[in-house]
Amino acid sequence: MIEFHYLIYILFLTATSSKQISVGVILPFYDGLWGYYGDQFLLYNKNQTKTENFSIEVYYCNKSASIQQAYAAEFISRKFDVIVVSSQDSKALKNIVEYAKILQSKVVTFIRRIENIKVDAYIAPNNKEVGRLQGKYIADNFEKSERKGILILEGPNTDKNSDAFSILLFEELNKFNLCTDEYCMSIKVDNWDASNVKKIINDLSEEFKQHLGFVAAANDDIGLEFYKRFTSKILY
C-alpha cells in the first residue's frame, strides 16, 4: 500500500505555487483500496493546516470510462492545477490527458498507468514487495490450512507491474517447494475487471476448487472480488 503522505508530497512537488492548488481526483469506484484513498484525500482536505494550500475534490467513475472522461474534462474546463487519476480505461482517457497538458494542468497517475503518454508523476506501490508479502503469507500459513491449493493470477506479458509482482512471489513459494503442480496453478489474466472472476472460477476443475485455499492476485480488483467470495462463502 502507498503511504498517503507520499501522495501529498508528490502533489507539492508537482504543483509548486503560492496560491491555493486545486486538485481533482478520479478513482475507479468506491470500494476497498480506492475508497480508502478517496476518504484519505477528503480527510486531508478538511484537516490541512493553514500553511497547506490544497483544495481537493474526489469523484468515482463507477467503472465507467465515459464517466471518467467527463470528470477529467470538467476538471480541465475549471482549470484545476493537478488531476490525479487512477485509470479505468487508459486508452479512452489518453486524449483528455493530452489536452490537459496542453492547458498546463499537471497530471498524476495513481497505481494504474495511462498507456503511451508521459505524465508529470506516476505513483505506484512496490509491486515486488507486494508479491513477496503475498508469497510469505501463503508459505507461513500453508501447513495449518486444510486446503492446500494455491491459485496465482498474473497479468499478460505486457503488464510490467504484474511481472514485478510475480518475481518475489514465486521466490518465496519456491523456498518451500510450493510451486509444484500438486499445489499450485498460475493463470494469465488478460482483463483485470472483477466481473471476470466468475469465469476464472468456472474454468477451474472441480477437484482444484475443492482444495483451493490461497489466491495471490497481481491486481486489486480481482483480489478484492476473490476475497469477497471467500469471506461470504460464495466461491463456487
Side-chain angles (χ1 to χ4, degrees):
M1 181 175 286
I2 303 167
E3 295 292 340
F4 184 74
H5 65 270
Y6 288 133
L7 288 175
I8 296 300
Y9 178 64
I10 291 296
L11 294 184
F12 267 117
L13 293 181
T14 305
T16 302
S17 173
S18 58
K19 67 179 180 65
Q20 188 176 65
I21 300 169
S22 53
V23 180
V25 181
I26 311 170
L27 300 175
F29 52 88
Y30 184 81
D31 199 355
L33 189 67
W34 307 120
Y36 166 80
Y37 283 117
D39 288 345
Q40 289 295 307
F41 273 114
L42 293 176
L43 188 63
Y44 177 84
N45 189 58
K46 179 181 178 181
N47 296 330
Q48 60 186 306
T49 65
K50 291 181 180 180
T51 59
E52 297 169 306
N53 58 344
F54 286 114
S55 172
I56 303 173
E57 295 183 22
V58 179
Y59 293 98
Y60 300 92
C61 69
N62 297 320
K63 301 184 180 181
S64 167
S66 61
I67 294 175
Q68 179 188 61
Q69 286 179 296
Y71 283 142
E74 178 187 342
F75 289 146
I76 294 168
S77 69
R78 293 167 59 191
K79 299 181 180 180
F80 271 54
D81 298 297
V82 184
I83 299 173
V84 180
V85 59
S86 187
S87 178
Q88 177 62 34
D89 184 330
S90 60
K91 292 179 181 179
L93 197 62
K94 181 180 176 183
N95 291 339
I96 290 283
V97 171
E98 288 178 339
Y99 184 56
K101 290 178 70 60
I102 290 171
L103 297 182
Q104 299 185 326
S105 290
K106 302 293 186 178
V107 178
V108 176
T109 51
F110 172 46
I111 298 183
R112 295 176 176 175
R113 293 179 186 270
I114 298 174
E115 292 182 9
N116 302 318
I117 188 167
K118 185 177 180 180
V119 296
D120 296 283
Y122 169 55
I123 307 171
N126 183 333
N127 290 291
K128 284 187 178 181
E129 182 65 9
V130 172
R132 186 190 72 80
L133 291 173
Q134 289 201 34
K136 185 177 186 304
Y137 175 85
I138 293 172
D140 289 347
N141 290 275
F142 184 78
E143 288 301 326
K144 63 181 99 171
S145 175
E146 294 182 3
R147 296 185 174 190
K148 306 293 187 184
I150 303 169
L151 178 62
I152 298 173
L153 302 173
E154 301 180 85
N157 293 331
T158 55
D159 188 336
K160 301 306 179 186
N161 287 337
S162 175
D163 289 346
F165 165 86
S166 299
I167 290 170
L168 294 188
L169 168 68
F170 283 110
E171 186 177 297
E172 287 293 325
L173 296 180
N174 279 322
K175 290 178 182 178
F176 303 92
N177 298 316
L178 298 180
C179 290
T180 64
D181 292 341
E182 180 183 0
Y183 303 121
C184 188
M185 177 184 294
S186 178
I187 297 175
K188 294 282 188 182
V189 180
D190 292 327
N191 185 334
W192 284 125
D193 193 282
S195 62
N196 290 321
V197 167
K198 184 176 182 180
K199 181 181 185 306
I200 293 170
I201 292 172
N202 289 339
D203 288 345
L204 298 174
S205 70
E206 288 302 319
E207 181 181 4
F208 188 80
K209 284 193 284 189
Q210 293 301 322
H211 292 91
L212 180 58
F214 304 93
V215 178
N219 173 271
D220 51 282
D221 291 355
I222 293 284
L224 284 169
E225 184 62 23
F226 262 101
Y227 177 77
K228 288 177 183 177
R229 288 173 178 262
F230 266 117
T231 53
S232 60
K233 299 182 180 179
I234 57 168
L235 181 62
Y236 311 125

